[in-house]
Amino acid sequence: MPTIFHIADLHIGASFDSLPPEKASAAISMQFSALDKLIQRANDCDADAILIAGDLFDSPTPRADIASAVFATLGKSRCPIFLSPGNHDYYFSQSPYATLPLPSCLTVFDDRILTPVELDDGRTVIWGAAFQAAKANIRLNAEVDPEKINICVLHGELGGDNGYNPISERAAMISGFDYIALGHNHTYSGMFRAGDTVLSCPGCFSPTSVNEIGEKIYLTGTVEKGAVDLHPVRTDALCFQRCSIRMDGMESDKALAEALKPLLPQHPESTCCALTLTGTRSFEPSADLLLNALQNIFFHATLRDESTVPENLLRYLDDEGLRGEVTRDLKARIDASDEVDADNLTLALEYVLAALDGRPMTRESKL
């Protein structure tokens, strides 16, 4: 049974325009480093094939130096690599796949019709096709040999309708493939079955946007007829994370730092963190010190303060209208009550003022 590595959506050459220039440059270097480490792992475990399900590059015409460097990295592989160009790196006459020398280990599918390549084991056939424009509709029709292991690597979206090679569950079910290695969607799909065919999309190997949060993975393992055993492995590329901390009840920067500790990922040095402060604050946090601390922990960090100051329930105390009468009455009762009744009366004042102001009730108010 062949051992494969399934990756997709590396988007090498992306600008990382949400990062400062020096961080963007470092993020691009991390893309190359992550790809190099994957090739090393494939070599170490004597993999039979590496499958790249599209969008190796972020554009159909990446800079020649970037494309050449990528091909040099892929050329270190001791096993064959099969690539199906996607909507970002589609195949056309000016594509680096058509204009630059390719490493001998790399097969780039360049037809819109599925084409087979047989592995040296004589039992496994890799099928693939290419986007030849930003959109495609590639049929899963293939004359597969049912006695062999048939693997399809393809950029496309299962059940999609946006023109990015939509693949129906029925088409997958009757395709005859043992495994379909997909790309395009940037979130891991999990492993799922359509009849006797197993499909999966690992999500993006290298995220380039703050909207692509969480650790990213590739898939590796074995494919046999009736038995696909692939598991996710974390990539070494940059990842993005959003987190928030409620300021309610915190009284110091030290308490804020303690609240941050449980949110730290396993690999903060390769994580871009967007931290948001929410809730009601009882002190003014030192934003510059906090951001500086975050920058020392994470690859890059941003800080957004959406917390609010407590609402003053006595703001209408001297008002001559209804709000003032209610405030003075309830304050007198609160002052004369025990702790339990005082809390209930305070809550009543919050509700009354919220109703009179015509706004939703909030429990972030205090005297």
Side-chain angles (χ1 to χ4, degrees):
M1 65 182 73
T3 297
I4 67 168
F5 280 63
H6 171 194
I7 63 177
D9 297 275
L10 289 81
H11 290 276
I12 296 178
S15 63
F16 291 96
D17 53 12
S18 65
L19 300 177
E22 69 279 3
K23 294 291 185 178
S25 177
I28 293 171
S29 296
M30 289 176 68
Q31 288 180 310
F32 280 94
S33 176
L35 179 59
D36 187 74
K37 288 179 181 178
L38 178 132
I39 298 296
Q40 293 177 27
R41 290 167 186 159
N43 288 341
D44 290 344
C45 71
D46 294 322
D48 295 288
I50 296 172
L51 312 178
I52 305 178
D55 289 357
L56 171 63
F57 297 110
D58 193 55
S59 81
T61 54
R63 286 181 4 218
D65 60 327
I66 288 180
S68 296
V70 170
F71 292 152
T73 300
L74 295 179
K76 299 177 184 179
S77 175
R78 293 200 294 264
C79 71
I81 301 174
F82 299 92
L83 188 152
S84 288
N87 61 299
H88 275 262
D89 63 345
Y90 57 82
Y91 188 95
F92 76 122
S93 60
Q94 299 305 309
S95 163
Y97 305 134
T99 59
L100 294 179
L102 303 180
S104 59
C105 62
L106 176 62
T107 295
V108 177
F109 294 105
D110 57 11
D111 202 319
R112 288 178 292 180
I113 299 173
L114 288 173
T115 303
V117 178
E118 191 165 310
L119 293 186
D120 290 340
D121 64 6
R123 298 181 60 243
T124 306
V125 182
I126 308 295
W127 298 76
F131 275 60
Q132 293 184 343
K135 293 193 175 183
N137 191 352
I138 300 168
R139 302 184 68 183
L140 283 181
N141 297 354
E143 296 182 6
V144 301
D145 183 344
E147 299 301 317
K148 293 187 175 181
I149 300 170
N150 291 278
I151 300 173
C152 177
V153 54
L154 199 59
H155 201 73
E157 51 182 351
L158 188 68
D161 59 1
N162 294 317
Y164 300 112
N165 192 28
I167 297 172
S168 71
E169 185 174 351
R170 173 165 174 74
M173 186 180 300
I174 65 176
S175 67
F177 291 117
D178 297 288
Y179 180 60
I180 300 178
L182 293 173
H184 184 65
N185 292 323
H186 283 201
T187 302
Y188 176 38
S189 67
M191 309 293 297
F192 55 97
R193 182 176 292 274
D196 293 328
T197 301
V198 176
L199 305 89
S200 187
C201 177
C204 55
F205 180 91
S206 175
T208 61
S209 165
V210 294
N211 296 321
E212 299 165 348
I213 61 174
E215 288 192 342
K216 301 304 177 182
I217 60 102
Y218 61 88
L219 296 168
T220 185
T222 58
V223 177
E224 183 61 277
K225 299 201 72 64
V228 175
D229 183 19
L230 300 178
H231 59 274
V233 179
R234 177 187 173 274
T235 78
D236 293 285
L238 185 69
C239 65
F240 293 85
Q241 172 182 302
R242 288 197 192 102
C243 55
S244 62
I245 296 177
R246 289 193 65 87
M247 297 291 290
D248 305 75
M250 290 191 189
E251 298 180 353
S252 66
D253 285 318
K254 182 178 180 180
L256 181 55
E258 289 298 317
L260 178 63
K261 288 181 181 179
L263 303 179
L264 294 179
Q266 187 175 359
H267 301 278
E269 72 284 351
S270 59
T271 301
C272 290
C273 175
L275 175 64
T276 303
L277 303 181
T278 65
T280 304
R281 62 182 183 271
S282 57
F283 78 103
E284 287 298 325
S286 177
D288 289 342
L289 287 177
L290 178 58
L291 183 57
N292 185 62
L294 292 172
Q295 295 283 20
N296 288 329
I297 295 171
F298 292 96
F299 176 84
H300 180 65
T302 59
L303 176 63
R304 184 173 181 177
D305 188 357
E306 296 182 354
S307 64
T308 59
V309 295
E311 186 177 67
N312 179 12
L313 287 181
L314 301 182
R315 62 189 180 281
Y316 296 121
L317 190 62
D318 297 323
D319 192 272
E320 295 182 357
L322 180 58
R323 292 177 179 81
E325 291 183 18
V326 170
T327 301
R328 288 187 292 273
D329 177 64
L330 284 172
K331 182 181 184 304
R333 298 188 193 187
I334 291 168
D335 291 343
S337 301
D338 59 25
E339 185 176 347
V340 174
D341 287 341
D343 285 342
N344 291 332
L345 290 167
T346 300
L347 180 60
L349 179 56
E350 292 183 49
Y351 271 107
V352 171
L353 292 181
L356 291 173
D357 290 343
R359 55 180 172 75
M361 169 61 184
T362 175
R363 197 62 181 107
E364 298 179 350
S365 305
K366 69 177 186 179
L367 288 172

